[in-house]
Amino acid sequence: MGRLRGGLRLYAILNKRFIKKYVFTFLLCLTPFLVIGMRLISSQDAGVMTVLMYCGDDEGSQAVVDYFTDKDGSVRYEQVYDIEGAKEKVRTGNADCLWIFPDDLDAAVRAYVRGNGDAVVTVFERKDEGLVRLAREQVYGALYGRISHEVALKTLESDGRIQQGDALGERLAELYEMWQVDGNLISYAYLDGTKVTEESENVSGTSYLTSPMRGMLALLVLLCGLAAAMFYRRDAEDGIFSWTNVNCGSAFRFFYILTATADAGLAAYIGMIFTGTFTGGWGELFRMVLYVLSVAGFSSILAVIVRPIRGLGAIIPLLLIISAALSPVFIDIGSLPLVQSLLPTYHYLKGTYSIVATAHMAIYAAAVILIALILPENVASGKKKERISRLNLTFRHCK
C-alpha cells in the first residue's frame, strides 16, 4: 500500500512538471482542436461527386430518387425540379451528372424491354470519368428489379405460356413482390466478429473524412512519448533526478515517460469517442492501455540508444513520417513488414478490429517494456556531477 501511495505521489509530481512545460501542454491541447476541426469538416458537404436527379409525377421514379437521396457517403445525390437549371450546373462544373427519370417509370421500362421505346433514364454528364461510370452502375442496380420482371413476362408470353393480362402474369408480379430483397445481400463484419450495420454507422456518425482520426490521434500519442523521452534526457543531464535511487534508473526512466504518454493516451481515448471512431468500451480501453505501454517502452529505448538530445529531436519527425507512411493511418500499403513490426502505431492500428493483431500488440508491448527495463541507465553527464558536487559543497558549508 505504501508503494502504491508513493507511486501515485510520484505520478502527481511528474504530471505537475509536465504541465509546466509549454510544449507538452501544447501537444495535449492539439487533441481537442483536432477533434473539433475534423467534426466541423465532416459536417460539411464531403461528396467527391454530385449527382442531380429529376423525376416527374410518378411514384416509381420518386421511389428510386428517394432511395439515392437517403444515402450517406462520398457521392452526393440531390433531387432537382428544374431540368434546364440542372443542365447548367453540369455545364459549369457545379455537378457531375444529371439523371432524368420518366414520368411513368414502369411504362417506360415495359416499352424498353419490348423494343417499343427509347432509353429509360436520360443522363447528362460533364465528362466520362471513372466515378461517373460507377454512378451509372448504381442506376442499373436500382432499375434491375423492374427490368427483370418485365423480361420474365416477355419470356413467358413469347413461349405461349401466358397471355398479356393473364392471371399468371398477376401471380408473377405477386411473387416478385413477395421475394423482393429489402435487406443487403452482403453483410460486413470486422475481424473480431463485430457486425457492421447501417444503424451502427449512423449512430456513431462516422464519416470517411474522420476515418484517419484514429491514426492521427495515435501519432499524437507517439509524439508525446518521444517528446517525454527528450524531456527525460534534459532533466537527467541537468541533475534534476539526483534525489532518486540510482539502482532504479531504468524503471524510473520508463515511469517518467509513461506518465506523459498516459496523459496523451487519455486525451486520444476521449477524442475517439467524439469523432465516431470509437469501437467499444473495454476492448478499446484495453488496446489503448497496450498502446500507451508500447509507446512508453519504445520511447524509453530510444532515450538510451540515441545519445545526443539534438539527435533524438532530429529523428522524431522522421519516426512520425515513417509511422504515418507504414501504419494504416490513411491507407494500408502492406510493405516493409520488418520495419512495420518495430512501430507501436502499426500494431495499435492493426489491432483495432483483429483479436490476433491485439495479441501481437500485447507481445510487442511486453517485449519493448522488458528491453527498456534491461537497458542500463547511463545518461549522467559532467553537468549533473558538477551540480551534485556543488550541492555537497553547500551542505558542508552549512555544517
Side-chain angles (χ1 to χ4, degrees):
M1 192 67 181
R3 290 185 177 181
L4 178 61
R5 190 180 297 110
L8 293 177
R9 187 182 299 113
L10 179 60
Y11 176 79
I13 293 173
L14 292 177
N15 248 324
K16 184 177 180 180
R17 181 166 182 78
F18 282 126
I19 296 299
K20 290 182 179 180
K21 296 182 181 292
Y22 297 112
V23 175
F24 182 75
T25 304
F26 172 75
L27 291 178
L28 287 183
C29 291
L30 281 180
T31 302
F33 284 113
L34 187 62
V35 170
I36 294 173
M38 292 300 293
R39 292 294 292 183
L40 290 176
I41 293 175
S42 64
S43 63
Q44 303 298 320
D45 181 18
V48 298
M49 177 181 176
T50 301
V51 177
L52 304 179
M53 293 179 292
Y54 174 85
C55 68
D57 297 331
D58 178 58
E59 294 183 358
S61 297
Q62 187 63 50
V64 175
V65 172
D66 292 340
Y67 169 77
F68 286 107
T69 54
D70 291 339
K71 283 179 172 291
D72 293 327
S74 58
V75 179
R76 179 171 173 262
Y77 299 95
E78 180 182 349
Q79 184 175 1
V80 295
Y81 303 94
D82 181 13
I83 295 181
E84 296 302 324
K87 289 181 180 180
E88 186 63 24
K89 286 185 177 181
V90 176
R91 292 192 191 98
T92 58
N94 294 322
D96 295 278
C97 58
L98 167 64
W99 299 345
I100 301 177
F101 291 88
D103 292 335
D104 190 346
L105 181 62
D106 292 332
V109 169
R110 188 178 305 109
Y112 172 76
V113 171
R114 299 176 185 277
N116 300 325
D118 296 330
V120 178
V121 180
T122 304
V123 179
F124 288 90
E125 300 173 349
R126 186 161 56 94
K127 54 183 173 179
D128 192 14
E129 297 178 328
L131 289 176
V132 176
R133 296 175 185 175
L134 291 175
R136 286 187 220 147
E137 295 297 328
Q138 292 186 317
V139 180
Y140 302 151
L143 299 178
Y144 173 78
R146 288 178 167 83
I147 294 177
S148 64
H149 174 251
E150 292 299 328
V151 170
L153 280 178
K154 179 183 177 183
T155 302
L156 293 176
E157 290 174 3
S158 63
D159 292 344
R161 299 182 182 182
I162 62 173
Q163 300 295 327
Q164 189 170 5
D166 194 357
L168 185 56
E170 297 178 1
R171 177 57 179 164
L172 181 62
E174 293 177 1
L175 290 176
Y176 259 82
E177 186 69 23
M178 181 186 304
W179 293 103
Q180 182 178 0
V181 179
D182 295 326
N184 295 322
L185 293 176
I186 302 175
S187 62
Y188 299 91
Y190 297 119
L191 293 177
D192 60 357
T194 305
K195 295 291 184 180
V196 180
T197 61
E198 184 177 354
E199 291 77 9
S200 63
E201 291 190 348
N202 291 336
V203 170
S204 64
T206 303
S207 169
Y208 76 96
L209 288 177
T210 59
S211 298
M213 195 64 194
R214 174 185 293 274
M216 297 170 66
L217 291 174
L219 291 176
L220 185 59
V221 175
L222 177 62
L223 177 59
C224 289
L226 296 174
M230 287 189 61
F231 296 154
Y232 174 82
R233 289 295 303 274
R234 174 62 66 185
D235 290 344
E237 293 185 2
D238 287 346
I240 302 298
F241 308 135
S242 58
W243 48 270
T244 61
N245 188 350
V246 179
N247 295 329
C248 297
S250 59
F252 178 78
R253 179 186 68 239
F254 174 76
F255 188 80
Y256 180 98
I257 299 174
L258 178 63
T259 301
T261 310
D263 293 342
L266 178 61
Y269 183 80
I270 297 174
M272 284 187 293
I273 297 176
F274 289 99
T275 54
T277 57
F278 195 71
T279 59
W282 294 110
E284 190 72 77
L285 180 61
F286 178 69
R287 287 188 292 270
M288 180 56 70
V289 170
L290 288 179
Y291 181 59
V292 167
L293 294 173
S294 300
V295 171
F298 180 78
S299 303
S300 181
I301 294 173
L302 290 179
V304 177
I305 295 177
V306 184
R307 289 294 184 184
I309 296 181
R310 291 183 179 179
L312 185 59
I315 68 171
I316 288 179
L318 181 61
L319 286 174
L320 291 176
I321 294 174
I322 294 176
S323 298
L326 298 183
S327 302
V329 177
F330 302 99
I331 57 174
D332 189 0
I333 60 177
S335 62
L336 301 176
L338 182 59
V339 180
Q340 288 176 327
S341 63
L342 300 177
L343 303 174
T345 307
Y346 173 79
H347 290 280
Y348 171 67
L349 296 179
K350 274 293 187 179
T352 302
Y353 303 111
S354 173
I355 298 177
V356 176
T358 302
H360 291 167
M361 181 169 60
I363 298 173
Y364 174 85
V368 293
I369 292 174
L370 181 62
I371 296 173
L373 295 178
I374 290 176
L375 287 177
E377 181 62 27
N378 188 21
V379 295
S381 65
K383 190 175 181 181
K384 173 181 176 181
K385 294 178 181 178
E386 180 182 354
R387 177 167 181 167
I388 296 174
S389 299
R390 289 179 180 177
L391 290 173
N392 292 336
L393 282 174
T394 304
F395 292 151
R396 286 196 295 269
H397 178 72
C398 293
K399 291 180 180 178

